[in-house]
Amino acid sequence: MKRIGFLSFGNWSAARGSQSRTAADTLLQTIELAVAAEEIGIDNASVRVHHFAPQLSSPFPLLSAMGARTSRIELGTGVIDMRYENPLYMAEEAAVVDLISGGRLQLGVSRGSPEPALNGAHAFGYRPADGSDDADLAREKAAIFRAAIDGAAVVRSDPRTTGVSQPLAVQPQSPGLAHRIWWGSGTRASAKWVGEQGMNLQSSTLLTEDSGVPFDQLQAEQIQIFRQAWADAGHDWEPRVSVSRSVLPITSDIDRLYFGREGDADQVGYLDGGMARFGRTYSGEPDVIAAALAADAAVQAADTVLLTVPNQLGVDYNARLLQTIASHIAPAFGWVPPAERALQPTV
């Protein structure tokens, strides 16, 4: 069953035409867009997390507010950079958001992406141990976090105050959250590791490798490797897979002014020490985009498609964009609105 969601980078600036001129604008508008998206029938409202930049950086208070204002839509991140996190405190915060939202948190984590700060996590007090690197640090913290949300004891009680010595887990706990953790993967090798570890897979519009094939085919191969690794590991539940796409339907003169460019295609470049392949932007008439996404191998292989939104154009513009996608594009690649989905017979 296909799901669709929006993914906001949460940019703000005082540039001409920006509707998100301050951090407060962006935060409040993200909450309002989640409300509007739920009314449209969108399945997921997700936010990017970046540090030392005029973008969203502290997701848990924002997700709590989104959860308090909505009742159905999933709430996600894509992704939290684990290098910056205290995994036990993060486990408490994630459980609080999940409880407030009634079990709707879909939490994407990873090593993070290239950033403006040089060794930014070091300023937060976190450095890799001798002989390890940033990727090792992120994976180690993720393991501690996952154990904590699954109820593992992380400390013993103090018998001087409790009268006993017994194992203690972080509180609160939110049952089921452990199966709603996603790892943001940018390569086929890391996708295999995600499948082995038993996390859901997030794949964005960027892969930090290139084999010469179109982006959607390379990403579909990444998904296949993940699912095979999952099956080989013998996990006893069904994973989910999301991919991100930049989808900008043109239905008005203002859309054409912003996004009416031609000839968009995959891009290949050098990033973070190696070659990378960037997926195309789907811009044009809705029927043309619908046909292209229906033929996108990775969109077909995934169960969730996250649509990046130009958040600085404001809530009204992005709500209209999401409505166009929901009405005229997403059904072509297998999405069914929640109201209709509820009427379908279960197998």
Side-chain angles (χ1 to χ4, degrees):
M1 182 179 294
K2 295 285 188 200
R3 295 175 172 89
I4 58 174
F6 76 78
L7 176 61
S8 175
F9 282 53
N11 298 288
W12 70 83
S13 76
R16 181 179 179 184
S18 173
Q19 301 298 310
S20 302
R21 304 181 70 81
T22 67
D25 290 340
T26 293
L27 291 164
L28 296 172
Q29 289 172 17
T30 303
I31 298 167
E32 294 304 323
L33 185 57
V35 173
E38 181 171 83
E39 292 173 353
I40 292 166
I42 304 299
D43 299 293
N44 181 292
S46 289
V47 296
R48 286 291 300 267
V49 181
H50 284 120
H51 299 283
F52 300 108
Q55 299 175 19
L56 298 171
S57 61
S58 181
F60 293 110
L62 176 59
L63 293 169
S64 291
M66 293 161 67
R69 289 284 307 279
T70 57
S71 61
R72 176 192 56 79
I73 198 167
E74 295 177 341
L75 309 169
T77 54
V79 292
I80 294 174
D81 187 336
M82 291 301 299
R83 295 174 298 168
Y84 284 83
E85 299 297 322
N86 177 319
L88 299 185
Y89 184 52
M90 179 177 166
E92 294 176 342
E93 291 188 302
V96 168
V97 173
D98 202 43
L99 292 169
I100 288 173
S101 66
R104 290 184 281 137
L105 185 59
Q106 302 286 342
L107 196 66
V109 302
S110 193
R111 172 232 180 269
S113 57
E115 56 182 346
L118 177 63
N119 297 323
H122 296 187
F124 277 49
Y126 303 118
R127 295 172 179 264
D130 291 343
S132 63
D133 58 17
D134 281 350
D136 296 326
L137 178 63
R139 291 184 178 192
E140 291 165 6
K141 288 188 171 189
I144 296 170
F145 167 75
R146 293 179 67 204
I149 63 171
D150 208 25
V154 297
V155 71
R156 298 197 68 82
S157 64
D158 185 345
R160 294 171 299 177
T161 56
T162 65
V164 294
S165 176
Q166 60 185 10
L168 299 176
V170 298
Q171 296 295 338
Q173 291 282 310
S174 186
L177 178 57
H179 285 185
R180 287 180 273 113
I181 306 304
W182 306 60
W183 186 271
S185 167
T187 66
R188 289 165 293 178
S190 64
K192 182 176 184 292
W193 176 83
V194 178
E196 293 168 345
Q197 296 298 308
M199 289 181 280
N200 303 293
L201 179 71
Q202 276 189 348
S203 189
S204 71
T205 55
L206 166 67
L207 293 172
T208 53
E209 60 179 344
D210 180 45
S211 66
V213 304
F215 179 85
D216 68 309
Q217 294 179 25
L218 182 60
Q219 194 172 49
E221 181 183 351
Q222 180 196 32
I223 294 169
Q224 191 278 328
I225 290 170
F226 162 75
R227 289 200 166 116
Q228 186 61 56
W230 183 283
D232 292 344
H235 303 300
D236 62 357
W237 53 284
E238 188 70 20
R240 289 177 60 184
V241 174
S242 74
V243 296
S244 300
R245 291 293 182 268
S246 179
V247 177
L248 301 167
I250 296 176
T251 62
S252 68
D253 289 341
I254 191 67
D255 299 334
R256 192 166 290 105
L257 176 65
Y258 284 133
F259 307 117
R261 55 186 180 272
E262 299 292 337
D264 190 61
D266 292 355
Q267 298 179 41
V268 177
Y270 194 77
L271 179 69
D272 206 22
M275 296 304 295
R277 182 168 283 266
F278 302 79
R280 58 172 287 195
T281 295
Y282 291 84
S283 176
E285 299 295 327
D287 59 335
V288 174
I289 296 175
L293 286 173
D296 184 306
V299 167
Q300 291 306 313
D303 64 79
T304 301
V305 180
L306 296 179
L307 308 155
T308 60
V309 294
N311 74 279
Q312 286 187 268
L313 296 182
V315 175
D316 290 344
Y317 184 92
N318 281 290
R320 182 172 66 81
L321 180 150
L322 292 173
Q323 182 66 73
T324 298
I325 293 172
S327 299
H328 303 293
I329 296 174
F333 60 77
W335 180 73
V336 176
E340 297 178 25
R341 201 182 302 160
L343 300 176
Q344 293 182 346
T346 57
V347 177

